[in-house]
Amino acid sequence: MSLAANTADTAQTAASAVKADVQNQVTQSVSALDQLKEFLLNHGPDVIYAIIIFIIGRYIAKGFKNVAIRMMTHANYDHTVITFVSQMIYYAIMALVILSALNKAGIPTNSFLAAFGAFGLAVGLALQNNLSNFASGLLILIFKPFKAGDWVSIGGVEGSIKGIQMLNTAVITKDNKTVFIPNSIITSNQVINSSYQDERYISFLFDIGYDNDHHKAIAILKDIFQSDKRILNADTMEIGIKEFADNSVRIAAYPKVANADYLPVFYDTMSRVKDAFDAGGIDIPFPQRVVYVREEKKEN
């Protein structure tokens, strides 16, 4: 009997423990549901607003990313640079969106902001020059002082723009050398873009001798310009004596041509002027110097 009683007591004790455990779990579940209910009642609208901020912010980030891709593609950026920069813009905006959503939901973001600020300061100090070049590249993309294929002169380097990259701009010179110019130098120096306008003036300066008839020389030049159909202002072109130099009379002329005809007209005109001056007896002087030799008398 004692054995049976002990077994019954043990079973009753186990049943009581299970019942107590179930009641405890039910109580905890009810408590958790009450807490969730209270949280939703107190912060439900903020959570909904946070979700809305995240969704709208994500679309805005994608929009800025697509705009950056179009701008850099139009400026002939390298595909790798386009991917890197666009992704960086997207994640930077998304970081701000997530912080804004968390703050709206009632989650403290001060620690996140402090961490991002410290990280940004460290990166900025380490990459100061590169960040300056990157910001200058964005300014070039926005204001477009030149584009790929334009003929420019920057800081003594003259050539055709090959591409605007993240940190520098590639220029192909006349002798087919590639010069990489940091973007910060471009935005802080004078840029001469010879391809910006559809038409250009050619600045000619012809020297003739003082013994030559300048009226005849000017008439020869006008005939040459008027016979060239590529010159757009042959009848109204500015031409005349510009100055009296040490060894010559200088005649200036400013024909206007299409941008694509600049060099062909320049070379053709120089050749035709040389032939016409030779045929017309017009001298093209060269620098001269008169040297007097004095013979000293020898003493006896």
Side-chain angles (χ1 to χ4, degrees), residues 59-81:
Y59 279 107
I60 293 175
K62 286 185 177 181
F64 275 97
K65 176 183 175 182
N66 293 332
V67 169
I69 290 174
R70 286 196 297 269
M71 291 175 62
M72 289 185 289
T73 301
H74 180 71
N76 199 28
Y77 263 62
D78 184 78
H79 177 72
T80 304
V81 176

Side-chain angles (χ1 to χ4, degrees), residues 99 109-123:
L99 288 175
T109 57
N110 293 335
S111 58
F112 291 102
L113 292 175
F116 277 120
F119 177 76
L121 179 61
V123 172

Side-chain angles (χ1 to χ4, degrees), residues 173-221:
T173 61
K174 194 73 174 177
D175 53 352
N176 204 33
K177 294 179 181 178
T178 303
V179 181
F180 295 94
I181 305 176
N183 290 329
S184 59
I185 293 180
I186 296 175
T187 55
S188 60
N189 283 273
Q190 183 183 47
V191 178
I192 301 175
N193 189 342
S194 301
S195 303
Y196 202 82
Q197 302 291 339
D198 295 330
E199 300 172 347
R200 292 180 63 184
Y201 285 93
I202 305 177
S203 179
F204 282 115
L205 195 61
F206 303 104
D207 290 346
I208 64 173
Y210 275 98
D211 295 335
N212 297 137
D213 185 353
H214 67 276
H215 297 289
K216 181 179 179 181
I218 292 175
I220 291 174
L221 292 173

Side-chain angles (χ1 to χ4, degrees), residues 144-155:
K144 297 179 180 179
F146 49 75
K147 61 182 183 299
D150 285 357
W151 189 268
V152 299
S153 178
I154 305 171

Side-chain angles (χ1 to χ4, degrees), residues 34 36 55 74 82 134-135 183 209 222 229 241 274 280:
D34 291 339
L36 177 61
I55 295 173
H74 180 71
I82 293 175
F134 174 73
N183 290 329
K222 287 183 176 180
K229 302 300 182 182
I241 295 177
K274 177 63 169 62

